[in-house]
Amino acid sequence: MADLLLGASPEFLYYQHKPPTPLRTLHQPYFLAFAKDTHKARTTLEKAWTTQKDTHPKLSKITDLGPTETYQSFTDFTKKRDVFKVYTTEPYLVPELSDPLFFDHHLNTAEHDIPYQQRALIDLAATNQAWILDTHHQTKTLKVMVYDIETTQYQEGRNDIPIDILGYAPFTLTIKSSHDLQTEDFHFDIPTPPPHWTDVDITQTMATNVDDEIHHILQFITATNDCDILSGHNTLSFDNVHLHGRITWLLTHCHDQLTKNETDAFTTFINDQCRPDKSFHYGVMRDNLIQIYPSCFDTYIAARKFYPWLDDYRLKALAP
């Protein structure tokens, strides 16, 4: 039975019912380099890299040079260009390395500004190694949890304020999907839709002090361990951010009030399940986000993508 890929970060792939798989076992960060005479330019760079890879401040960050390949031009589909891949140790080094290759080695570079997570998923999908939520024609059950937080002490710019109300509701649905890049056939079905909201058990907690808050947050993050997809509206840039910020604050300022189990659970959640990210809209950075893995589905971002003509994406405007 094929493994179901739920999500990906720049470090890991998250398969259902499996521990995170290090992404570097399947993919390495790289960008493309080319010149008027790409073969000659590659040979020159290879000589420089071979002799200076242990001492040069920039070339030492290259891990390998790929062979010369033929790519179709991005700007003129009637033309083809010879290129080669320059591999690096870390994704953030890709733009850092592209500049010295351009200025010092007279190489043009391309694909150096693609976010690594997207770069890796594209390559893995193109080589049929991984495709998010592809069940390979099998019916799979997903555990989804929708959640929302409320705070009575909200302050702009602060994400460590108390979480007064925390509500969440788990449910299941089944999916059946497949893809074929050769024929460009893509199928995604939901044979068993989620239940009506009135048939879903909703947990809603209200904290009046820090001890209550610690207990409620611990209950919630424990429930996320059994969840494939965490969902909500504006979750990535509000709920996740405030949850992450508040837990970080509790670990720092309320350490004496936390039991060892609470401290361990909060630390594991922050370090292993959460990752800071950014949101871009038409190339402009809009928000600082917190991703919670294995997968988050934010209906605010989904609505913004599929209904770009709307003026308001608040939940009350979308579902009055």
Side-chain angles (χ1 to χ4, degrees):
M1 185 173 289
D3 294 328
L4 179 62
L5 180 61
L6 298 171
S9 74
E11 292 86 21
F12 296 101
L13 296 176
Y14 296 87
Y15 289 94
Q16 190 180 44
H17 308 314
K18 288 195 170 186
T21 299
L23 184 53
R24 298 299 189 280
T25 61
L26 295 174
H27 193 275
Q28 296 297 317
Y30 72 87
F31 59 95
L32 301 180
F34 61 98
K36 187 173 182 179
D37 187 340
T38 298
H39 181 74
K40 181 179 179 180
R42 185 196 178 283
T43 301
T44 302
L45 177 61
E46 185 174 32
K47 288 180 180 178
W49 173 60
T50 302
T51 58
Q52 303 178 64
K53 62 182 178 181
D54 295 328
T55 58
H56 195 280
K58 298 297 183 182
L59 296 182
S60 61
K61 296 171 182 176
I62 296 176
T63 59
D64 198 8
L65 300 177
T68 301
E69 305 175 58
T70 301
Y71 269 49
Q72 189 177 42
S73 170
F74 302 146
T75 57
D76 185 347
F77 293 164
T78 64
K79 294 182 179 180
K80 294 186 177 181
R81 301 184 187 280
D82 289 334
V83 304
F84 63 94
K85 294 174 182 175
V86 180
Y87 294 91
T88 71
T89 54
E90 296 293 340
Y92 68 84
L93 294 174
V94 167
E96 181 180 331
L97 279 171
S98 66
D99 284 349
L101 292 195
F102 178 79
F103 291 110
D104 301 338
H105 297 273
H106 311 294
L107 280 160
N108 298 305
T109 62
E111 299 191 359
H112 52 263
D113 55 352
I114 300 175
Y116 180 61
Q117 177 186 7
Q118 298 176 26
R119 167 80 283 169
L121 287 175
I122 290 169
D123 289 343
L124 294 175
T127 54
N128 208 31
Q129 296 182 74
W131 190 287
I132 286 184
L133 295 182
D134 184 358
T135 69
H136 302 277
H137 301 282
Q138 300 170 4
T139 299
K140 299 268 191 175
T141 299
L142 291 178
K143 294 181 179 180
V144 183
M145 187 158 67
V146 178
Y147 93 104
D148 184 45
I149 68 168
E150 299 294 342
T151 176
T152 60
Q153 304 175 49
Y154 175 77
Q155 295 180 39
E156 185 73 30
R158 289 191 58 185
N159 57 18
D160 60 353
I161 52 180
I163 296 174
D164 303 300
I165 300 175
L166 174 58
Y168 50 97
F171 60 89
T172 62
L173 58 85
T174 62
I175 64 170
K176 185 177 182 181
S177 57
S178 64
H179 78 278
D180 188 326
L181 289 179
Q182 298 301 318
T183 61
E184 297 189 6
D185 266 342
F186 305 95
H187 296 280
F188 190 95
D189 296 320
I190 304 178
T192 306
H196 190 273
W197 71 269
T198 56
D199 298 323
V200 176
D201 291 330
I202 300 173
T203 299
Q204 182 162 298
T205 62
M206 181 177 295
T208 57
N209 54 60
V210 172
D211 288 333
D212 284 348
E213 190 182 6
I214 291 171
H215 178 65
H216 297 159
I217 292 176
L218 180 64
Q219 282 185 314
F220 171 72
I221 66 172
T222 300
T224 65
N225 293 331
D226 194 39
C227 174
D228 295 320
I229 299 175
L230 191 63
S231 184
H233 195 71
N234 203 23
T235 307
L236 291 173
S237 61
F238 184 81
D239 302 81
N240 288 5
V241 170
H242 284 275
L243 179 67
H244 180 274
R246 187 58 176 173
I247 292 175
T248 301
W249 187 91
L250 291 171
L251 287 169
T252 303
H253 298 277
C254 299
H255 186 268
D256 293 341
Q257 293 176 248
L258 300 174
T259 66
K260 184 180 184 304
N261 288 340
E262 290 168 342
T263 299
D264 291 346
F266 285 168
T267 302
T268 298
F269 180 77
I270 291 297
N271 293 339
D272 296 347
Q273 287 183 250
C274 298
R275 187 180 189 279
D277 207 340
K278 296 183 184 298
S279 171
F280 291 86
H281 192 48
Y282 294 109
V284 178
M285 205 276 281
R286 295 287 296 271
D287 297 298
N288 289 308
L289 313 177
I290 293 293
Q291 295 278 0
I292 299 178
Y293 295 99
S295 182
C296 272
F297 179 70
D298 190 331
T299 54
Y300 178 92
I301 293 178
R304 193 177 67 183
K305 179 178 178 61
F306 291 107
Y307 306 105
W309 59 86
L310 295 180
D311 297 323
D312 190 350
Y313 296 101
R314 292 176 302 169
L315 193 58
K316 289 181 180 179
L318 294 170

